[in-house]
Coordinates of all heavy atoms in Angstrom, one line a residue:
T1 N -10.7 -7.4 -6.5 CA -10.1 -8.6 -7.3 C -8.6 -8.7 -7.0 O -8.0 -9.6 -7.5 CB -10.4 -8.5 -8.8 OG1 -9.9 -7.3 -9.2 CG2 -11.9 -8.5 -9.0
D2 N -8.0 -7.7 -6.4 CA -6.6 -7.7 -6.2 C -6.2 -8.4 -4.9 O -5.0 -8.5 -4.6 CB -6.1 -6.2 -6.2 CG -6.2 -5.6 -7.6 OD1 -6.1 -6.3 -8.6 OD2 -6.4 -4.4 -7.6
V3 N -7.1 -8.7 -4.0 CA -6.8 -9.3 -2.8 C -5.9 -10.6 -2.9 O -6.3 -11.5 -3.7 CB -8.1 -9.6 -1.9 CG1 -7.7 -10.4 -0.7 CG2 -8.8 -8.3 -1.6
G4 N -4.9 -10.6 -2.2 CA -4.0 -11.8 -2.2 C -3.1 -11.9 -3.5 O -2.3 -12.8 -3.7
K5 N -3.1 -10.8 -4.3 CA -2.2 -10.8 -5.5 C -1.0 -9.8 -5.3 O -1.0 -9.0 -4.4 CB -3.0 -10.3 -6.7 CG -4.1 -11.3 -7.0 CD -4.9 -10.8 -8.3 CE -6.0 -11.8 -8.6 NZ -6.8 -11.3 -9.7
V6 N 0.0 -9.9 -6.2 CA 1.1 -9.0 -6.3 C 0.8 -8.1 -7.5 O 0.5 -8.6 -8.6 CB 2.4 -9.7 -6.4 CG1 3.5 -8.7 -6.7 CG2 2.7 -10.6 -5.3
I7 N 0.7 -6.8 -7.3 CA 0.5 -5.9 -8.4 C 1.8 -5.3 -8.8 O 2.5 -4.6 -7.9 CB -0.5 -4.8 -8.0 CG1 -1.8 -5.4 -7.5 CG2 -0.7 -3.8 -9.1 CD1 -2.8 -4.5 -6.9
S8 N 2.3 -5.4 -10.0 CA 3.5 -4.8 -10.5 C 3.2 -3.4 -11.0 O 2.3 -3.2 -11.9 CB 4.0 -5.7 -11.7 OG 5.3 -5.1 -12.1
L9 N 3.9 -2.4 -10.4 CA 3.5 -1.0 -10.7 C 4.6 -0.4 -11.6 O 5.8 -0.7 -11.5 CB 3.6 -0.2 -9.3 CG 2.6 -0.6 -8.2 CD1 2.9 0.2 -7.0 CD2 1.2 -0.6 -8.7
S10 N 4.1 0.4 -12.5 CA 5.0 1.3 -13.4 C 4.7 2.8 -13.1 O 5.3 3.6 -13.7 CB 4.7 0.9 -14.8 OG 3.4 1.2 -15.2
A11 N 3.8 3.0 -12.2 CA 3.5 4.4 -11.7 C 2.9 4.3 -10.3 O 2.6 3.2 -9.8 CB 2.5 5.0 -12.7
G12 N 2.7 5.4 -9.7 CA 2.2 5.5 -8.4 C 0.8 4.9 -8.4 O 0.2 4.6 -9.4
I13 N 0.3 4.6 -7.1 CA -1.0 3.9 -7.0 C -1.8 4.6 -5.9 O -1.1 5.2 -4.9 CB -0.9 2.4 -6.8 CG1 -2.2 1.7 -6.8 CG2 -0.1 2.2 -5.4 CD1 -2.0 0.2 -6.9
T14 N -3.1 4.6 -5.9 CA -4.0 5.1 -4.8 C -4.7 3.9 -4.2 O -5.3 3.1 -4.9 CB -4.9 6.1 -5.4 OG1 -4.2 7.2 -5.9 CG2 -5.9 6.6 -4.3
V15 N -4.6 3.8 -2.9 CA -5.4 2.8 -2.1 C -6.7 3.4 -1.8 O -6.9 4.4 -1.2 CB -4.7 2.4 -0.8 CG1 -5.5 1.4 0.0 CG2 -3.3 1.9 -1.1
P16 N -7.8 2.9 -2.5 CA -9.1 3.5 -2.3 C -9.8 3.1 -1.0 O -9.5 2.0 -0.5 CB -9.9 3.0 -3.6 CG -9.3 1.6 -3.8 CD -7.8 1.8 -3.4
S17 N -10.8 3.9 -0.6 CA -11.6 3.4 0.5 C -12.9 2.9 -0.1 O -13.3 3.3 -1.3 CB -11.9 4.5 1.5 OG -12.6 5.5 0.9
G18 N -13.7 2.1 0.5 CA -14.9 1.7 0.1 C -14.9 0.8 -1.1 O -15.9 0.7 -1.9
A19 N -13.8 0.2 -1.3 CA -13.7 -0.6 -2.6 C -13.9 -2.1 -2.2 O -13.5 -3.0 -3.0 CB -12.3 -0.4 -3.2
G20 N -14.6 -2.4 -1.2 CA -15.0 -3.8 -0.9 C -13.9 -4.5 0.0 O -14.0 -5.7 0.1
F21 N -12.8 -3.8 0.4 CA -11.9 -4.5 1.2 C -12.4 -4.7 2.6 O -13.1 -3.9 3.2 CB -10.5 -3.7 1.3 CG -9.9 -3.5 0.0 CD1 -9.8 -2.3 -0.7 CD2 -9.1 -4.6 -0.5 CE1 -9.2 -2.2 -1.9 CE2 -8.5 -4.5 -1.7 CZ -8.6 -3.2 -2.4
T22 N -12.0 -5.8 3.3 CA -12.4 -6.2 4.6 C -11.3 -6.5 5.4 O -10.1 -6.7 4.9 CB -13.4 -7.3 4.6 OG1 -12.8 -8.5 4.0 CG2 -14.7 -7.0 3.7
A23 N -11.5 -6.7 6.7 CA -10.4 -7.1 7.7 C -9.7 -8.3 7.2 O -10.3 -9.3 6.8 CB -11.0 -7.3 9.0
G24 N -8.4 -8.2 7.2 CA -7.5 -9.3 6.8 C -7.1 -9.3 5.4 O -6.2 -10.2 5.0
D25 N -7.7 -8.6 4.5 CA -7.3 -8.5 3.1 C -5.9 -8.0 3.0 O -5.5 -7.0 3.7 CB -8.3 -7.6 2.3 CG -9.6 -8.2 2.1 OD1 -9.8 -9.5 2.3 OD2 -10.5 -7.5 1.5
I26 N -5.2 -8.5 2.0 CA -3.8 -8.2 1.8 C -3.6 -8.0 0.3 O -4.0 -8.9 -0.4 CB -2.8 -9.2 2.4 CG1 -2.9 -9.3 4.0 CG2 -1.4 -8.9 2.0 CD1 -2.0 -10.4 4.5
V27 N -2.8 -6.9 0.0 CA -2.4 -6.7 -1.4 C -1.0 -6.4 -1.4 O -0.5 -5.5 -0.6 CB -3.2 -5.5 -2.1 CG1 -2.8 -5.3 -3.5 CG2 -4.7 -5.8 -2.0
S28 N -0.2 -7.0 -2.2 CA 1.2 -6.7 -2.3 C 1.5 -5.9 -3.5 O 0.9 -6.1 -4.6 CB 2.1 -8.0 -2.4 OG 1.9 -8.7 -1.1
L29 N 2.5 -4.9 -3.4 CA 2.8 -4.0 -4.5 C 4.3 -4.1 -4.8 O 5.1 -4.1 -3.8 CB 2.5 -2.5 -4.0 CG 1.1 -2.2 -3.6 CD1 1.0 -0.8 -3.0 CD2 0.1 -2.4 -4.6
Y30 N 4.6 -4.2 -6.1 CA 6.0 -4.3 -6.5 C 6.3 -3.1 -7.3 O 5.6 -2.9 -8.4 CB 6.3 -5.6 -7.2 CG 7.6 -5.6 -7.9 CD1 8.8 -5.6 -7.2 CD2 7.8 -5.7 -9.3 CE1 10.1 -5.6 -7.7 CE2 9.0 -5.7 -9.9 CZ 10.1 -5.7 -9.1 OH 11.4 -5.7 -9.7
N31 N 7.4 -2.4 -7.0 CA 7.8 -1.2 -7.8 C 8.7 -1.7 -8.9 O 9.9 -2.0 -8.6 CB 8.5 -0.2 -6.9 CG 9.0 1.0 -7.7 OD1 9.0 1.0 -8.9 ND2 9.5 2.0 -7.0
N32 N 8.1 -1.8 -10.1 CA 8.9 -2.3 -11.2 C 9.5 -1.2 -12.1 O 9.4 -1.2 -13.3 CB 8.0 -3.2 -12.1 CG 8.7 -4.0 -13.1 OD1 9.9 -4.3 -13.0 ND2 8.0 -4.5 -14.1
T33 N 10.1 -0.2 -11.4 CA 10.7 0.9 -12.1 C 12.1 1.2 -11.5 O 12.5 0.6 -10.4 CB 9.8 2.2 -12.0 OG1 10.0 2.7 -10.6 CG2 8.4 2.0 -12.3
T34 N 12.8 2.2 -12.0 CA 14.1 2.5 -11.5 C 14.1 3.8 -10.6 O 15.1 4.3 -10.3 CB 15.1 2.8 -12.7 OG1 14.5 3.8 -13.5 CG2 15.3 1.5 -13.5
G35 N 12.8 4.1 -10.2 CA 12.7 5.3 -9.3 C 11.7 5.0 -8.3 O 10.9 4.0 -8.3
N36 N 11.6 5.8 -7.3 CA 10.6 5.7 -6.2 C 9.2 5.9 -6.7 O 9.0 6.7 -7.6 CB 10.9 6.6 -5.1 CG 12.2 6.3 -4.3 OD1 12.7 5.2 -4.4 ND2 12.8 7.3 -3.7
L37 N 8.2 5.3 -6.1 CA 6.8 5.6 -6.5 C 6.0 5.9 -5.2 O 6.4 5.6 -4.1 CB 6.2 4.3 -7.1 CG 6.8 3.9 -8.4 CD1 6.1 2.5 -8.9 CD2 6.6 4.9 -9.5
T38 N 5.0 6.7 -5.4 CA 4.1 7.1 -4.3 C 2.8 6.2 -4.2 O 2.2 5.9 -5.2 CB 3.6 8.5 -4.5 OG1 4.8 9.3 -4.6 CG2 2.7 9.0 -3.4
I39 N 2.7 5.8 -3.0 CA 1.4 5.0 -2.6 C 0.5 6.0 -1.9 O 0.9 6.5 -0.8 CB 1.6 3.9 -1.7 CG1 2.6 2.9 -2.3 CG2 0.3 3.2 -1.2 CD1 3.1 1.8 -1.3
T40 N -0.6 6.5 -2.5 CA -1.5 7.5 -1.9 C -2.6 6.8 -1.3 O -3.2 5.8 -1.8 CB -2.0 8.5 -3.1 OG1 -0.9 9.1 -3.7 CG2 -2.9 9.5 -2.5
C41 N -3.0 7.2 0.0 CA -4.0 6.6 0.7 C -5.2 7.6 0.7 O -5.2 8.6 1.3 CB -3.5 6.4 2.2 SG -2.0 5.4 2.2
S42 N -6.2 7.1 0.0 CA -7.4 7.9 -0.3 C -8.5 7.6 0.7 O -9.1 6.5 0.6 CB -7.9 7.7 -1.8 OG -9.1 8.4 -1.9
A43 N -8.8 8.5 1.6 CA -9.8 8.4 2.6 C -9.8 7.1 3.4 O -10.8 6.6 3.8 CB -11.2 8.5 1.8
V44 N -8.6 6.7 3.6 CA -8.4 5.6 4.6 C -7.4 6.1 5.7 O -6.6 6.9 5.4 CB -7.9 4.3 4.0 CG1 -8.9 3.7 3.0 CG2 -6.6 4.4 3.3
T45 N -7.4 5.5 6.8 CA -6.4 5.8 7.8 C -5.3 4.8 7.6 O -5.5 3.7 7.7 CB -7.0 5.7 9.2 OG1 -8.1 6.7 9.3 CG2 -5.9 6.0 10.3
A46 N -4.1 5.4 7.3 CA -3.0 4.5 7.0 C -1.8 4.7 8.0 O -1.6 5.9 8.4 CB -2.5 4.8 5.6
K47 N -1.2 3.7 8.4 CA 0.0 3.7 9.3 C 1.1 2.9 8.6 O 0.8 1.9 7.9 CB -0.3 3.1 10.6 CG -1.5 3.6 11.3 CD -1.2 4.6 12.4 CE -2.4 4.9 13.2 NZ -2.4 6.2 13.7
L48 N 2.3 3.4 8.8 CA 3.4 2.6 8.4 C 3.8 1.6 9.5 O 3.7 2.0 10.7 CB 4.7 3.5 8.1 CG 4.6 4.5 6.9 CD1 5.9 5.2 6.7 CD2 4.2 3.7 5.6
A49 N 4.1 0.4 9.2 CA 4.3 -0.6 10.2 C 5.4 -0.1 11.1 O 6.4 0.5 10.6 CB 4.7 -2.0 9.5
G50 N 5.3 -0.3 12.4 CA 6.3 0.1 13.4 C 6.2 1.5 13.7 O 7.1 2.0 14.4
S51 N 5.2 2.2 13.3 CA 5.0 3.6 13.6 C 3.5 3.9 14.1 O 2.6 3.2 13.6 CB 5.3 4.4 12.3 OG 4.8 5.8 12.5
N52 N 3.3 4.9 14.9 CA 2.0 5.2 15.3 C 1.5 6.5 14.6 O 0.4 7.0 14.8 CB 1.9 5.5 16.8 CG 0.5 5.5 17.3 OD1 -0.3 4.7 16.9 ND2 0.3 6.3 18.3
N53 N 2.3 6.9 13.5 CA 1.9 8.1 12.8 C 1.0 7.7 11.6 O 1.2 6.8 10.9 CB 3.2 8.8 12.2 CG 4.1 9.2 13.3 OD1 3.7 9.6 14.4 ND2 5.4 9.1 13.0
T54 N 0.0 8.5 11.5 CA -1.0 8.4 10.4 C -0.3 9.1 9.2 O 0.2 10.2 9.3 CB -2.3 9.1 10.7 OG1 -2.9 8.4 11.8 CG2 -3.3 8.9 9.5
V55 N -0.3 8.5 8.0 CA 0.2 9.0 6.8 C -0.8 9.1 5.7 O -1.8 8.4 5.7 CB 1.5 8.2 6.2 CG1 2.6 8.2 7.2 CG2 1.0 6.8 5.9
T56 N -0.7 10.0 4.7 CA -1.6 10.2 3.6 C -0.9 9.6 2.4 O -1.6 9.3 1.4 CB -2.0 11.7 3.4 OG1 -0.8 12.4 3.1 CG2 -2.7 12.2 4.5
S57 N 0.4 9.3 2.5 CA 1.1 8.7 1.4 C 2.3 8.0 1.9 O 2.8 8.4 3.0 CB 1.4 9.7 0.2 OG 2.3 10.6 0.7
A58 N 2.9 7.1 1.1 CA 4.2 6.5 1.4 C 5.0 6.4 0.2 O 4.4 6.3 -0.9 CB 3.9 5.1 2.0
T59 N 6.3 6.3 0.3 CA 7.2 6.2 -0.9 C 7.7 4.8 -0.9 O 8.2 4.2 0.1 CB 8.3 7.1 -0.7 OG1 7.9 8.5 -0.6 CG2 9.3 7.0 -1.9
L60 N 7.4 4.1 -2.0 CA 7.9 2.8 -2.3 C 9.2 2.8 -3.0 O 9.2 3.3 -4.1 CB 6.8 2.0 -3.1 CG 7.1 0.5 -3.5 CD1 7.5 -0.3 -2.3 CD2 6.0 -0.1 -4.2
A61 N 10.2 2.2 -2.5 CA 11.5 2.4 -3.0 C 11.7 1.5 -4.3 O 10.9 0.6 -4.7 CB 12.6 1.7 -2.0
T62 N 12.7 2.0 -5.1 CA 13.0 1.3 -6.4 C 13.1 -0.1 -6.2 O 13.8 -0.6 -5.3 CB 14.3 1.9 -6.9 OG1 14.2 3.2 -7.1 CG2 14.7 1.2 -8.2
R63 N 12.4 -0.9 -7.0 CA 12.4 -2.4 -7.0 C 11.9 -2.9 -5.7 O 12.2 -4.1 -5.3 CB 13.7 -3.0 -7.4 CG 14.2 -2.5 -8.8 CD 13.4 -3.0 -10.0 NE 14.0 -2.4 -11.2 CZ 13.4 -2.3 -12.3 NH1 12.1 -2.6 -12.4 NH2 14.0 -1.9 -13.3
G64 N 11.2 -2.1 -4.9 CA 10.8 -2.5 -3.5 C 9.5 -3.2 -3.5 O 8.7 -3.2 -4.5
V65 N 9.1 -3.8 -2.4 CA 7.9 -4.5 -2.3 C 7.2 -4.0 -1.0 O 7.8 -3.8 0.0 CB 8.1 -6.1 -2.1 CG1 6.7 -6.8 -1.8 CG2 8.7 -6.6 -3.4
A66 N 5.9 -3.7 -1.1 CA 5.1 -3.3 0.1 C 3.9 -4.1 0.2 O 3.3 -4.5 -0.8 CB 4.7 -1.8 -0.2
T67 N 3.5 -4.4 1.4 CA 2.3 -5.1 1.6 C 1.3 -4.1 2.3 O 1.6 -3.5 3.2 CB 2.5 -6.3 2.6 OG1 3.4 -7.1 1.9 CG2 1.3 -7.1 2.8
V68 N 0.1 -4.2 1.8 CA -1.0 -3.3 2.4 C -1.9 -4.3 3.0 O -2.6 -5.2 2.5 CB -1.8 -2.5 1.3 CG1 -2.9 -1.7 1.9 CG2 -0.8 -1.6 0.5
L69 N -2.1 -4.2 4.4 CA -2.9 -5.0 5.2 C -4.1 -4.2 5.7 O -4.0 -3.1 6.3 CB -2.2 -5.5 6.4 CG -3.0 -6.2 7.5 CD1 -3.7 -7.5 7.0 CD2 -2.1 -6.5 8.8
F70 N -5.3 -4.7 5.3 CA -6.5 -4.0 5.7 C -7.0 -4.5 7.1 O -7.3 -5.7 7.3 CB -7.7 -4.2 4.7 CG -7.4 -3.5 3.4 CD1 -6.5 -4.0 2.5 CD2 -8.1 -2.2 3.2 CE1 -6.3 -3.2 1.3 CE2 -7.8 -1.5 2.1 CZ -6.9 -2.0 1.1
I71 N -6.9 -3.6 8.1 CA -7.3 -3.9 9.4 C -8.8 -4.0 9.4 O -9.5 -4.8 10.1 CB -6.8 -2.9 10.5 CG1 -5.3 -2.8 10.4 CG2 -7.3 -3.2 11.9 CD1 -4.5 -4.1 10.6
D72 N -9.5 -3.1 8.8 CA -10.9 -3.1 8.4 C -11.0 -2.3 7.1 O -10.0 -1.9 6.4 CB -11.8 -2.5 9.5 CG -11.4 -1.2 10.0 OD1 -11.1 -0.3 9.2 OD2 -11.4 -0.9 11.2
A73 N -12.3 -1.9 6.7 CA -12.5 -1.2 5.4 C -11.8 0.2 5.4 O -11.5 0.7 4.3 CB -13.9 -1.2 5.1
S74 N -11.5 0.8 6.5 CA -11.0 2.1 6.5 C -9.7 2.3 7.2 O -9.2 3.5 7.4 CB -12.0 3.1 6.9 OG -12.4 2.8 8.3
N75 N -9.0 1.3 7.7 CA -7.7 1.3 8.4 C -6.8 0.3 7.8 O -7.1 -0.9 7.7 CB -7.9 1.0 9.9 CG -8.7 2.1 10.6 OD1 -8.2 3.2 10.9 ND2 -10.0 1.9 10.8
I76 N -5.6 0.8 7.4 CA -4.6 0.0 6.8 C -3.2 0.1 7.4 O -3.0 1.2 8.1 CB -4.5 0.2 5.3 CG1 -3.9 1.6 5.0 CG2 -5.8 0.0 4.5 CD1 -3.6 1.9 3.5
V77 N -2.4 -0.9 7.2 CA -1.0 -0.8 7.7 C -0.2 -1.2 6.4 O -0.5 -2.1 5.8 CB -0.7 -1.8 8.8 CG1 0.8 -1.8 9.1 CG2 -1.5 -1.4 10.0
I78 N 0.8 -0.3 6.2 CA 1.7 -0.6 5.0 C 3.1 -1.0 5.6 O 3.6 -0.3 6.5 CB 1.9 0.7 4.2 CG1 0.5 1.2 3.7 CG2 2.7 0.4 3.0 CD1 0.6 2.6 3.0
T79 N 3.6 -2.1 5.1 CA 4.9 -2.6 5.6 C 5.7 -2.9 4.3 O 5.2 -3.1 3.2 CB 4.7 -3.8 6.4 OG1 6.0 -4.1 6.9 CG2 4.1 -5.0 5.6
G80 N 7.0 -2.9 4.5 CA 8.0 -3.3 3.4 C 9.0 -2.2 3.1 O 9.4 -1.5 4.1
N81 N 9.4 -2.0 1.9 CA 10.4 -1.1 1.5 C 9.7 0.3 1.3 O 9.8 0.9 0.2 CB 11.1 -1.5 0.2 CG 11.7 -2.9 0.3 OD1 11.2 -3.8 -0.3 ND2 12.6 -3.0 1.2
V82 N 9.2 0.8 2.4 CA 8.4 2.1 2.3 C 9.0 3.1 3.4 O 9.5 2.7 4.4 CB 6.9 1.9 2.5 CG1 6.3 1.2 1.3 CG2 6.6 1.2 3.8
S83 N 8.8 4.3 3.0 CA 9.1 5.4 4.0 C 8.1 6.5 3.9 O 7.2 6.5 3.0 CB 10.5 6.0 3.7 OG 10.6 6.5 2.4

């Protein structure tokens, strides 16, 4: 139900696998805090945009926005204010 929406975060979040996401689904995340938050990638292969490295988590900067693009149900790319 989060596809195409912006989720305002007050704590870290986990991107689940097998939750019904399909190729092309996009979810945007907004860090609505004064500190960094962790995006944990649970049982999916995640890459940061512009990198070929697989990550298990990413840091979303204070007041930052990240977009999670599902390449398919188990592969994602995270772009935005992340490291």
Side-chain angles (χ1 to χ4, degrees):
T1 62
D2 293 328
V3 173
K5 296 181 181 176
V6 175
I7 300 170
S8 182
L9 303 175
S10 59
I13 191 169
T14 298
V15 178
S17 67
F21 293 107
T22 60
D25 286 350
I26 295 174
V27 177
S28 295
L29 308 172
Y30 170 64
N31 179 350
N32 195 19
T33 73
T34 59
N36 294 337
L37 294 178
T38 300
I39 302 168
T40 302
C41 305
S42 173
V44 297
T45 301
K47 307 262 189 210
L48 295 182
S51 166
N52 196 36
N53 299 327
T54 300
V55 297
T56 57
S57 67
T59 301
L60 178 55
T62 301
R63 307 292 181 203
V65 175
T67 299
V68 179
L69 168 64
F70 287 81
I71 304 304
D72 55 42
S74 60
N75 291 282
I76 65 171
V77 175
I78 304 171
T79 187
N81 304 113
V82 293
S83 58

